[in-house]
Amino acid sequence: MKKFAVLLLVAVAMMLPLFASGSSEGGQTVLTLSEVHAEGYPTTLADYEFARLVEERTEGRIKIDVYSGGTLYGEETGSIEALQIGDLAFARVSASPVASYVPALNVIQLPYLYRDGDHMWQVLNGPIGQQMLEDIEASGSGLVGLCYYDAGARNFYTTTPVNSVEDMAGLKIRLQNNPMMVEMVQLLGGNGVTGIGPNDVYSAIQQGTIDGAENNWPTYESMGDYQVAPYFVLDGHTRVPEILLASKAVLDTLDPADVEIIKECAKETQAYEIEQWALREKSSEEKVTSEGVVVAELTPEQIQEFQDRMAPLYAKYGAGYEDVIAEIQNTGL
Ligand code: BDP
């Protein structure tokens, strides 16, 4: 009896990761996907499209349940760590926090690296970006990079106006969990604050814990941050792509042919997300500006002042990648 109880306990303990990452019901494997954004946000729409395609192409062998709004993991670092130990199957996250686990990823999100969105997509869908995606799996991080999605350009937004780099002095700015971004804000004269999930930025601003944050138009609008930090400065400091990640531990439990289908389906959702992104970027901008947001446009000279301060970041995080950075900068010229 005692032996049986111990065996039962061991069996239950072994099944725990399976329940957390998903479950198996009547021959169907149900896997979980974590997303911080709300229903209807471009990445969430793409998550559902991914789930739909996978279920269809595996003829129902694999079903993916999408948990949006950060209900499973409010901070992307939490979901990344769950993927690493096989507690979660998929997470759609920003490349920013992933760089703490796969440092090479900082290279494709250095400030002022891309001229515009087209330039970024030429790089991401070209040899450099695709190699970086594959390197995620090869890095031994326990993560598998499935595809990139668009997240536009990130800009600062604050409770007081920022019209030049000097106005950044002393401001407490919430950032994604990435030390490179904290240093970026320090180089601009502000103080970077991490450890606040995107769904908690609004209340952190409201409570005065921070003076602002930085993000793209859709997140600024969707999280409601524009209501508490109505000054948005178009400094366009970074273009950080989104990444759809899978857990290597979970993929290893699946039939290799189904893993191939999963990888193929993810890649197919990229064009759909980019299309949804373009629509939402425009509508979010229209919505917040019609509701009183004050947008500061900077002259090329003023933007250059932001950019000039980034030299130490390139030296530190670009070390060893000088050729790659030069190749990125020359792409499309
Ligand atoms: C948004 C990204 C989301 C990040 C969020 C953030 O879509 O994945 O978590 O920024 O700043 O643009 O945390």
Side-chain angles (χ1 to χ4, degrees):
M1 185 62 201
K2 214 170 144 202
K3 207 166 151 198
F4 175 74
V6 170
L7 274 176
L8 193 73
L9 231 126
V10 170
V12 168
M14 281 173 67
M15 282 166 79
L16 271 180
L18 196 66
F19 283 124
S21 60
S23 60
S24 203
E25 295 157 14
Q28 185 179 57
T29 303
V30 184
L31 300 174
T32 300
L33 189 157
S34 173
E35 166 67 72
V36 293
H37 285 299
E39 294 292 306
Y41 193 91
T43 54
T44 314
L45 294 173
D47 300 335
Y48 283 113
E49 180 59 6
F50 170 60
R52 188 190 69 77
L53 283 175
V54 169
E55 190 167 355
E56 187 181 285
R57 302 258 174 94
T58 61
E59 292 166 339
R61 288 187 298 282
I62 297 177
K63 183 173 182 292
I64 299 173
D65 282 344
V66 176
Y67 288 81
S68 62
T71 46
L72 276 188
Y73 299 93
E75 281 204 61
E76 293 180 338
T77 314
S79 63
I80 294 167
E81 287 171 3
L83 293 173
Q84 290 184 305
I85 56 169
D87 243 1
L88 174 71
F90 303 103
R92 196 292 313 156
V93 296
S94 164
S96 185
V98 189
S100 295
Y101 307 86
V102 187
L105 281 173
N106 271 326
V107 174
I108 56 162
Q109 53 185 305
L110 279 160
Y112 301 106
L113 180 63
Y114 305 109
R115 294 180 297 278
D116 52 26
D118 283 348
H119 180 199
M120 181 190 77
W121 279 116
Q122 278 187 51
V123 172
L124 296 183
N125 286 339
I128 294 179
Q130 292 305 301
Q131 190 59 49
M132 288 262 176
L133 201 59
E134 280 175 31
D135 288 350
I136 297 178
E137 183 166 0
S139 68
S141 59
L143 307 169
V144 179
L146 297 176
C147 69
Y148 297 111
Y149 290 144
D150 208 348
R154 296 178 78 96
N155 302 279
F156 292 109
Y157 53 88
T158 43
T159 53
T160 52
V162 170
N163 293 307
S164 67
V165 74
E166 284 76 29
D167 293 335
M168 293 289 294
L171 293 182
K172 291 199 283 298
I173 304 289
R174 178 271 178 187
L175 297 158
Q176 293 168 291
N177 291 333
N178 178 337
M180 180 173 86
M181 301 308 177
V182 175
E183 286 181 49
M184 169 183 76
V185 165
Q186 272 159 357
L187 291 167
L188 296 173
N191 299 308
V193 179
T194 56
I196 301 173
N199 286 282
D200 295 326
V201 172
Y202 177 98
S203 56
I205 295 173
Q206 206 176 32
Q207 287 159 16
T209 317
I210 50 174
D211 303 308
E214 44 89 60
N215 224 309
N216 47 47
W217 288 116
T219 300
Y220 182 51
E221 177 258 309
S222 167
M223 300 291 179
D225 299 355
Y226 69 98
Q227 294 160 4
V228 284
Y231 296 97
F232 194 89
V233 56
L234 287 171
D235 65 288
H237 52 272
T238 47
R239 280 187 184 271
V240 182
E242 316 279 23
I243 301 188
L244 181 58
L245 288 178
S247 158
K248 181 156 180 4
V250 174
L251 291 191
D252 285 348
T253 65
L254 305 175
D255 183 329
D258 284 343
V259 173
E260 277 320 299
I261 294 177
I262 286 173
K263 290 185 171 176
E264 196 183 282
C265 292
K267 293 221 184 304
E268 277 183 41
T269 58
Q270 189 194 71
Y272 171 73
E273 194 275 349
I274 293 176
E275 207 179 282
Q276 294 300 320
W277 178 261
L279 296 172
R280 182 65 181 256
E281 197 173 39
K282 197 160 176 285
S283 66
S284 292
E285 177 181 355
E286 278 166 12
K287 177 164 190 240
V288 300
T289 47
S290 76
E291 289 186 29
V293 161
V294 182
V295 182
E297 291 200 32
L298 301 178
T299 62
E301 292 73 29
Q302 284 174 316
I303 292 197
Q304 191 60 46
E305 285 182 38
F306 277 75
Q307 192 169 350
D308 287 346
R309 301 228 187 166
M310 297 299 124
L313 222 59
Y314 274 68
K316 181 170 173 185
Y317 292 91
Y321 294 97
E322 291 81 2
D323 294 355
V324 180
I325 293 171
E327 212 177 313
I328 292 176
Q329 286 167 335
N330 290 326
T331 298
L333 286 182

